[in-house]
Amino acid sequence: MKLVGILLAVFGWLLPVVGLGMTSSTGARLVLCIVGIAITLTAILKLLISSHEKEAVWKQ
Amino acid sequence: MTRCTWLRPCLWAAIVALLVCGIPAWAQGQTAAPSAPAAAATPPPLAVDAPLPVSGPSADDQAAGDPSGTKTGTANDVVHADPTKPLTLVDLVNQAGQNRIAVNFVWTLVAGFLVMFMQAGFAIVETGLCRAKNANHTMMMNFMVYGFGLFAYWVCGFALQMGGAAGVSILGGAAPLSHEFTIHLLGHDWGLWGTKGFFLSGATYDVGVMVLFLFQMVFMDTALTIVTGAAAERWKYAAFAVSSLLLGAFTYPIYANWAWGGGWLSKLGANYGLGAGYADFAGSGVVHAVGGLTALALSIIIGPRIGKYNRDGSSNAMPGHDIVIVLTGCFILAFGWFGFNPGSTLGASGALRISTIAVDTMLAGCTGSFGALLYMWIKYGKPDASMSGNGLLAGLVAITAPSGYVNTMGAVIIGFVAGLLVCVSVEFVDRVLRVDDPVGAISVHGTNGLWGVISVGLFADGTNGVKGLFYGDPTQLVAQLIGVGTLLGFVFTTSYVANLAIHAIVGQRVAAADELEGLDIPEMGALCYPEFVLKPDTTHSGAAASVKAGLQVARETA
């Protein structure tokens, strides 16, 4: 789960960066940025946090 | 009637005479003006090393004293290339250049000293928001993070960040920082890190480079000290030392290079037509979001304090022990921010916008505390002190990136939004994410650091070369969002992986028994307040069960 979270977070970052070379449309770049940030945030706030929550002190 | 017959010809004669005499005189006056530059265009040749016919007060005059200040700071004080010869034009020009750079050196160094003093502010804010039993440990993390960070930055951090940043003309050029490692990808060069300035050796033993090093170093250290707050009360001191070294040596410098050292983010404008490229004037992203996101990564790995969450997932408040030092620390930080933001011009001569930046800074801090105070007052019925302090800091964090590009109205809005945002974010992190952050560092620096970066893309008014969406340029917002994505995808991930590795090797968290006792004795060997009577933290009814569970774990571990 942690590895998936890390890979997804990196993917969300690279998506708009690579997209710079694929389109020159400002609107398309803006959409790619927002989608990329959403993917990264989901990876961090959902996948990574929930993978650690299983080991949390208060759950034991 | 008789009088009129002779008066009228006389008047006409006078008018004609005036016209005849006046027009040529007026015309001569008109042509005389252009003739002046013509005369000036051919001055006698001036030898730059010829003696100038100026002199200061005599030695006898000066020996008599100068109570009015009119005999001090004269031609006598201009440095002569050859003291045995009279003053020349070369001497004057050199003195003018020297003065400009000297003013900028002094400005940047003093601003750096102010930022360095912010370490004291961070130290007491964080310590005040922690419990008394961990005060020594929290203070010592804030104290030594300065040393760990400085050392790592001197070894390699500065070189990676600024090693290719030559061309800082406002500080004399910093020419020895002359090489950036780049790769060619997607049709453009992507600067990744600098390669000059390791150990500040070789040609980087240079006065301009030293100024740049000092100023950039205290910024880096601010990012490092943010992390100690979020991981306070449970972070193993040895792990803290290693983690801080890694952040100061690699993670922070790499992102700072991309934004400030000539790296790829700063070139998004030139390479892809995205406004002026990623713009982060004083570091909402580079400093605060890097610190805040690293704090998030570490808090996720290290887990919450014992007693923070109940078995059903609800959270317990664990108030700090000294609100006096918390708010005093906030004032110290607000004072230091006048070095942080206006100092980021790296000079005063040729950068008079320092006044606007300073006013933007104070306004955003003000409205940030307003926003937080109003939120807490309306929602909970009381104007909460620690959240008002966090609101002030949130406003200051948010205005850090846009302070060089926005007007006062923009600063007021950015600060107010930050004040609201920090309250919402603290609740979200605490209750929804269940990530324990004793001082609110993730929200103050992480959330509002990202907000500051985005706000450049919205509110920049174009006065200083950066224009945001509200002033007609949506491409700048794209550049800023790519910066946000990089902070989340690169900085957070790198910090997370690095700290996960430390956790696997040496362990990030102290033993449960030590945590319950307080970290002052187990980790530092001395209590911060030896004359205080410290009691177990079972005062909050909801926390009692969790603390008992923690005690059980501690007994089993022992």
Side-chain angles (χ1 to χ4, degrees):
Chain A
M1 185 75 97
K2 286 173 190 157
L3 186 62
V4 173
I6 292 166
L7 292 175
L8 208 57
V10 174
F11 172 74
W13 162 46
L14 291 178
L15 183 68
V17 175
V18 174
L20 286 173
M22 293 161 59
T23 175
S24 59
S25 157
T26 303
R29 285 172 168 177
L30 201 57
V31 169
L32 280 175
C33 284
I34 292 166
V35 171
I37 289 170
I39 291 171
T40 305
L41 280 175
T42 306
I44 295 169
L45 303 183
K46 276 284 181 189
L47 296 179
L48 290 180
I49 288 181
S50 59
S51 73
H52 282 275
E53 207 170 65
K54 290 172 190 164
E55 309 150 12
V57 178
W58 58 272
K59 281 214 166 181
Q60 290 166 7
Chain B
M1 287 298 288
T2 312
R3 192 174 55 185
C4 288
T5 53
W6 62 264
L7 187 59
R8 186 173 294 172
C10 284
L11 279 170
W12 278 112
I15 290 166
V16 170
L18 277 171
L19 287 173
V20 169
C21 300
I23 287 176
W26 175 79
Q28 197 174 3
Q30 290 299 300
T31 53
S35 71
T42 55
L46 180 63
V48 291
D49 55 351
L52 291 174
V54 290
S55 61
S58 67
D60 289 341
D61 282 347
Q62 288 188 307
D66 182 21
S68 63
T70 53
K71 290 184 282 187
T72 307
T74 63
N76 288 352
D77 299 303
V78 175
V79 177
H80 295 213
D82 184 350
T84 61
K85 292 181 180 173
L87 193 67
T88 67
L89 195 58
V90 174
D91 293 330
L92 281 183
V93 171
N94 283 337
Q95 186 70 62
Q98 179 89 186
N99 284 358
R100 176 173 187 250
I101 298 301
V103 166
N104 293 343
F105 271 27
V106 170
W107 169 254
T108 308
L109 286 172
V110 171
F113 304 153
L114 284 177
V115 179
M116 185 271 178
F117 188 54
M118 288 170 71
Q119 296 287 321
F122 277 116
I124 62 174
V125 166
E126 291 178 12
T127 304
L129 286 170
C130 292
R131 290 165 292 179
K133 64 181 181 178
N134 299 306
N136 185 359
H137 182 258
T138 309
M139 279 300 289
M140 269 299 287
M141 285 200 294
N142 279 278
F143 182 73
M144 281 311 296
V145 78
Y146 182 75
F148 293 141
L150 169 54
F151 185 75
Y153 200 64
W154 170 72
V155 170
C156 67
F158 177 72
L160 294 173
Q161 180 186 330
M162 302 301 285
V168 190
S169 60
I170 203 163
L171 291 177
L177 301 171
S178 57
H179 192 257
E180 174 85 357
F181 176 81
T182 58
I183 56 171
H184 194 75
L185 208 64
L186 303 170
H188 297 285
D189 284 333
W190 295 63
L192 296 182
W193 58 78
T195 62
K196 298 282 184 177
F198 292 97
F199 300 97
L200 290 177
S201 58
T204 56
Y205 183 22
D206 171 88
V207 289
V209 172
M210 295 299 161
V211 174
L212 204 56
F213 173 84
L214 186 142
F215 194 69
Q216 296 296 340
M217 181 268 147
V218 289
F219 272 55
M220 174 280 304
D221 228 47
T222 302
L224 264 59
T225 202
I226 290 165
V227 185
T228 58
E233 304 200 298
R234 60 211 191 278
W235 201 4
K236 197 185 280 184
Y237 202 80
F240 143 76
V242 178
S243 178
S244 299
L245 282 166
L246 288 178
L247 182 57
F250 302 108
T251 315
Y252 174 93
I254 294 295
Y255 185 76
N257 174 274
W258 295 352
W260 290 342
W264 66 272
L265 274 175
S266 66
K267 305 284 190 218
L268 287 176
N271 289 344
Y272 292 100
L274 297 179
Y278 174 74
D280 186 351
F281 184 71
S284 289
V286 173
V287 178
H288 296 282
V290 166
L293 291 172
T294 302
L296 174 63
L298 192 65
S299 298
I300 292 171
I301 293 167
I302 208 167
R305 291 165 290 175
I306 294 171
K308 175 64 186 169
Y309 293 103
N310 305 312
R311 284 191 185 278
D312 62 357
S314 57
S315 75
N316 301 302
M318 299 176 101
H321 78 282
D322 192 343
I323 204 67
V324 174
I325 63 170
V326 170
L327 293 185
T328 306
C330 288
F331 267 131
I332 290 175
L333 287 168
F335 175 67
W337 237 284
F338 288 124
F340 217 96
N341 291 358
S344 291
T345 53
L346 300 179
S349 176
L352 297 181
R353 60 178 169 150
I354 51 177
S355 57
T356 311
I357 297 166
V359 172
D360 280 353
T361 301
M362 67 200 316
L363 279 172
C366 162
T367 53
S369 58
F370 280 177
L373 182 122
L374 283 174
Y375 182 94
M376 297 302 286
W377 209 339
I378 291 167
K379 188 163 183 182
Y380 298 104
K382 298 286 180 189
D384 184 79
S386 64
M387 283 308 289
S388 298
N390 272 345
L392 169 77
L393 301 183
L396 292 167
V397 166
I399 198 61
T400 301
S403 60
Y405 312 119
V406 301
N407 53 38
T408 55
M409 188 56 72
V412 164
I413 296 168
I414 291 165
F416 190 75
V417 172
L420 299 176
L421 201 55
V422 72
C423 299
V424 175
S425 177
V426 162
E427 290 174 348
F428 180 75
V429 169
D430 187 53
R431 294 173 193 171
V432 180
L433 299 181
R434 294 196 195 95
V435 171
D436 186 16
D437 178 5
V439 306
I442 296 167
S443 301
V444 170
H445 300 278
T447 307
N448 281 290
L450 297 177
W451 162 236
V453 170
I454 293 168
S455 69
V456 174
L458 300 173
F459 292 95
D461 64 4
T463 308
N464 291 301
V466 180
K467 190 186 283 186
L469 179 68
F470 298 156
Y471 292 84
D473 186 6
T475 61
Q476 186 64 48
L477 182 60
V478 177
Q480 300 306 113
L481 288 176
I482 288 176
V484 169
T486 308
L487 283 161
L488 291 167
F490 171 76
V491 173
F492 173 87
T493 310
T494 306
S495 290
Y496 177 79
V497 171
N499 281 294
L500 206 57
I502 295 170
H503 190 52
I505 297 166
V506 296
Q508 293 268 15
R509 186 160 180 148
V510 296
D514 295 348
E515 187 180 336
L516 289 166
E517 182 188 346
L519 302 184
D520 282 4
I521 292 289
E523 284 282 301
M524 312 314 305
L527 286 171
C528 187
Y529 308 111
E531 291 163 339
F532 282 24
V533 178
L534 301 174
K535 56 185 181 182
D537 187 14
T538 54
T539 50
H540 310 289
S541 57
S546 296
V547 171
K548 281 177 187 167
L551 282 167
Q552 182 63 32
V553 171
R555 282 192 207 101
E556 286 168 8
T557 309

